[in-house]
Amino acid sequence: MSVKIRLQRHGKKGKPFYWIVAADSRVKRDGKLLEKLGTYNPNTNPATIDLDVDGAVKWLQNGAQPTDTAKAILSYKGAMLKNHLAGGVRKGALTEEQAEEKFNAWLEEKASKIAAKVDGLSKAQADEKAKALAAEKEVNEARKAVAVEAPVEETAEAAADAEVSNEEE
C-alpha cells in the first residue's frame, strides 16, 4: 500500500477548506483517510495552516509521498526540514540537540517573517482605508459647496422671474 500525504477538500463552493491527510493513494480524493495531520485554509491572508509536524514527519519517515501542494505546505511549516534533520541524526552527522536547535532557530526566523507580512498587510489595509476616507471627504466637501451655491442661484433666479412677471403686468 503506497501512502500519500495530500489535501482533502471540504468547505462550500467557492470557499475551499482542506484537511491535510495521510491516505492510501488508490482511494478517492475525499475518501477514506488513514490519519488527519492538519488543516489548510486558503481563504485568509496569509493562509491559515494548522499542522501536526511530528505526525507528518512520522509518515514521511515511513515512506509516505507528499503531493506537490502538500509538499509545499509541509516545507512552509517545517516538517520537511525536521525530516531532513532526523535523517542527519540517524546517519550520525548531527546530535539530537543540534537538530532541535537548528529547527527551533528556523521556526523563530519563519515566525518573524510571517509577523512582518501580517504587519505589512495591516499597514497597507490601513493606508487604503485612509485614502478612501480622504476621497469621501473631498466628495462631501464638493457636495456641500454645490448645495450652498444652489440656493443662492435659485433665489436670484426667483427674483429675476418675479421682476419679469412684474414688468409684464
Side-chain angles (χ1 to χ4, degrees):
M1 171 172 75
S2 63
V3 176
K4 289 253 185 211
I5 296 176
R6 63 185 181 196
L7 301 180
Q8 194 176 68
R9 186 179 168 130
H10 292 270
K12 63 182 188 175
K13 188 180 354 176
K15 294 283 188 184
F17 184 84
Y18 298 96
W19 286 0
I20 303 166
V21 299
D24 185 354
S25 64
R26 298 169 291 186
V27 175
K28 295 178 189 176
R29 177 192 72 180
D30 298 336
K32 186 177 177 183
L33 58 101
L34 299 172
E35 183 180 353
K36 180 180 173 184
L37 301 173
T39 59
Y40 168 58
N41 184 2
N43 299 317
T44 60
N45 191 6
T48 307
I49 302 171
D50 179 34
L51 180 69
D52 176 18
V53 175
D54 294 328
V57 170
K58 179 190 78 167
W59 280 105
L60 289 170
Q61 288 175 346
N62 288 334
Q65 295 296 313
T67 60
D68 293 338
T69 306
K71 188 173 187 176
I73 291 171
L74 294 175
S75 294
Y76 181 80
K77 293 305 276 186
M80 298 299 280
L81 176 66
K82 195 164 189 174
N83 183 38
H84 178 73
L85 292 172
V89 169
R90 277 194 312 274
K91 291 179 181 176
L94 296 169
T95 64
E96 186 69 39
E97 293 81 26
Q98 289 174 330
E100 197 64 34
E101 184 179 312
K102 283 186 176 187
F103 183 69
N104 289 334
W106 182 86
L107 278 179
E108 290 174 13
E109 182 182 334
K110 188 71 170 180
S112 66
K113 285 181 182 178
I114 292 171
K117 181 176 181 179
V118 169
D119 291 341
L121 288 172
S122 63
K123 184 178 179 187
Q125 193 175 24
D127 289 344
E128 271 185 41
K129 200 177 242 186
K131 285 181 184 177
L133 184 62
E136 187 67 29
K137 283 183 179 180
E138 288 178 21
V139 169
N140 286 342
E141 291 298 324
R143 286 181 183 162
K144 283 181 184 177
V146 169
V148 168
E149 291 174 9
V152 172
E153 290 176 7
E154 288 176 6
T155 56
E157 289 176 12
D161 288 342
E163 289 177 17
V164 170
S165 63
N166 286 341
E167 290 175 6
E168 292 175 0
E169 292 177 0

